[in-house]
């Protein structure tokens, strides 16, 4: 890698600069390889970012070193309570849980409402729905809410809980013994379920994508595989092109 990427020379050239533009990087590599195509430059930037040699400051601007880190969301007491309830009631149930409050780290504006989501394996949704009604008597619990239900009831409920079907082979991980979605799943679901996540669409969704990729390690293969399962790869790819094109290589 060092021979292809000229890492030592790269660091020597730009070590006294706070930031380096994509044009400066392009000219640096053109000095080494005059016929270097732009597509190769994007791939190199992506690889340098993965190796913690470069990190993205904003579109077209980078700096030496990396602040990209592994994502570990906060597991609230409520999420622990819901998980414990489901684990006690359904011994072998496969599900994941998360809150839209987690998106606050990536948004520009503060949503007025938040909700909790439980994605559970196929054919268990109704049983999980009735189980969770026991611990959510004072706030709404919704089962695969329709567009009409989202607009009429979800927005007026205080901290609603949404039970949905878990897509097979969803990218999940365990944090503090609680199974939660990986960032790649959240990114795709925000695109695929635009009615449910209507508060996070448009420019806000671009902010979310940009901030996630800049702050955390996103696995492109995982993102693509899950988005293909949801038939949303073209849409996801377009968001990446607009916000973080270098991840596409």
């Amino acid at each position: 890698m060092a021979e292809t990427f000229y890492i030592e020379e790269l660091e020597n050239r730009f070590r006294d600069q706070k930031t380096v533009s994509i044009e400066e990087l392009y000219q640096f590599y053109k000095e080494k390889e005059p016929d270097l195509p732009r597509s190769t430059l994007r791939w190199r930037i992506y690889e340098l970012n993965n190796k913690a040699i470069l990190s993205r400051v904003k579109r077209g601007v980078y700096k030496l070193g990396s602040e990209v880190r592994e994502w570990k969301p906060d597991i609230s007491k409520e999420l622990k309570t819901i998980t414990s309830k489901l684990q006690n009631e359904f011994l072998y149930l496969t599900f994941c849980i998360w809150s839209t409050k987690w998106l606050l780290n990536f948004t520009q504006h503060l949503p007025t409402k938040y909700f909790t989501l439980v994605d559970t394996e196929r054919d268990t949704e109704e049983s999980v729905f009735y189980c969770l009604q026991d611990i959510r008597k004072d706030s709404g619990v919704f089962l695969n809410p329709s567009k009409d239900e989202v607009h009429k009831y979800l927005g007026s409920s205080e901290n609603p809980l949404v039970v949905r079907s878990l897509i097979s082979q969803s990218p999940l991980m365990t944090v503090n013994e609680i199974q939660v979605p990986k960032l790649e799943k959240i990114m795709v679901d925000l695109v695929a379920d635009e009615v449910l996540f209507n508060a996070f669409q448009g420019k806000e969704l671009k902010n979310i994508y940009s901030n996630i990729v800049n702050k955390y390690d996103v696995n492109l293969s995982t993102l693509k595989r899950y988005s293909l399962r949801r038939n949303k790869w073209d849409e996801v790819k377009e968001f990446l092109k607009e916000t973080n094109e270098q991840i596409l290589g």
Side-chain angles (χ1 to χ4, degrees), residues 50-239:
N50 283 343
K51 297 293 184 181
I53 295 165
L54 280 182
S55 61
R56 185 177 183 271
V57 176
K58 59 183 180 180
R59 187 175 180 86
V61 180
Y62 302 84
K63 66 179 180 180
L64 293 177
S66 176
E67 296 178 355
V68 174
R69 60 190 187 277
E70 184 180 358
W71 181 62
K72 188 176 181 181
D74 178 58
I75 306 298
S76 66
K77 182 178 179 180
E78 180 192 35
L79 297 187
K80 292 177 182 177
T81 299
I82 294 172
T83 297
S84 178
K85 172 73 172 176
L86 292 177
Q87 289 175 337
N88 288 334
E89 292 288 334
F90 309 100
L91 189 58
Y92 300 108
L93 182 68
T94 299
F95 69 95
C96 71
I97 186 170
W98 69 286
S99 170
T100 57
K101 287 183 179 179
W102 293 355
L103 298 175
L104 284 178
N105 292 324
F106 313 119
T107 58
Q108 182 175 351
H109 302 99
L110 298 179
T112 56
K113 295 282 186 179
Y114 308 99
F115 53 92
T116 301
L117 298 102
V118 174
D119 289 0
T120 183
E121 60 188 289
R122 188 182 298 275
D123 297 327
T124 67
E125 302 94 335
E126 191 169 330
S127 297
V128 168
F129 168 72
Y130 287 119
C131 173
L132 293 179
Q133 282 188 321
D134 291 340
I135 59 174
R136 277 299 193 91
K137 292 182 172 62
D138 298 326
S139 58
V141 182
F142 300 88
L143 174 61
N144 287 323
S146 65
K147 181 177 181 179
D148 192 50
E149 288 174 320
V150 169
H151 291 315
K152 283 186 176 180
Y153 307 115
L154 206 63
S156 60
S157 297
E158 190 65 32
N159 190 24
L161 198 161
V162 176
V163 178
R164 308 188 304 169
S165 303
L166 179 66
I167 306 297
S168 61
Q169 300 181 38
S170 290
L172 308 176
M173 65 182 187
T174 301
V175 177
N176 298 337
E177 300 182 350
I178 307 294
Q179 189 155 253
V180 301
K182 289 185 175 181
L183 278 174
E184 292 86 354
K185 172 173 164 56
I186 292 175
M187 291 172 72
V188 175
D189 286 351
L190 289 175
V191 173
D193 303 313
E194 59 180 319
V195 173
L196 180 60
F197 298 110
N198 60 81
F200 305 101
Q201 298 302 308
K203 188 175 181 180
E204 197 66 278
L205 186 53
K206 293 179 182 179
N207 290 330
I208 292 170
Y209 264 61
S210 180
N211 288 325
I212 286 177
V213 175
N214 288 336
K215 292 180 179 180
Y216 297 101
D217 184 19
V218 173
N219 187 302
L220 181 61
S221 296
T222 300
L223 186 68
K224 182 176 182 179
R225 184 166 57 251
Y226 181 62
S227 62
L228 285 171
R229 290 194 65 77
R230 301 217 61 185
N231 296 315
K232 290 295 177 179
W233 172 236
D234 288 341
E235 290 91 330
V236 169
K237 186 165 59 174
E238 283 304 309
F239 274 105

Side-chain angles (χ1 to χ4, degrees), residues 6-16 28 64:
Y6 308 98
I7 294 173
E8 185 175 352
E9 292 180 58
L10 179 72
E11 292 175 333
N12 288 336
R13 171 76 68 86
F14 299 111
R15 68 165 38 132
D16 294 327
F28 170 79
L64 293 177

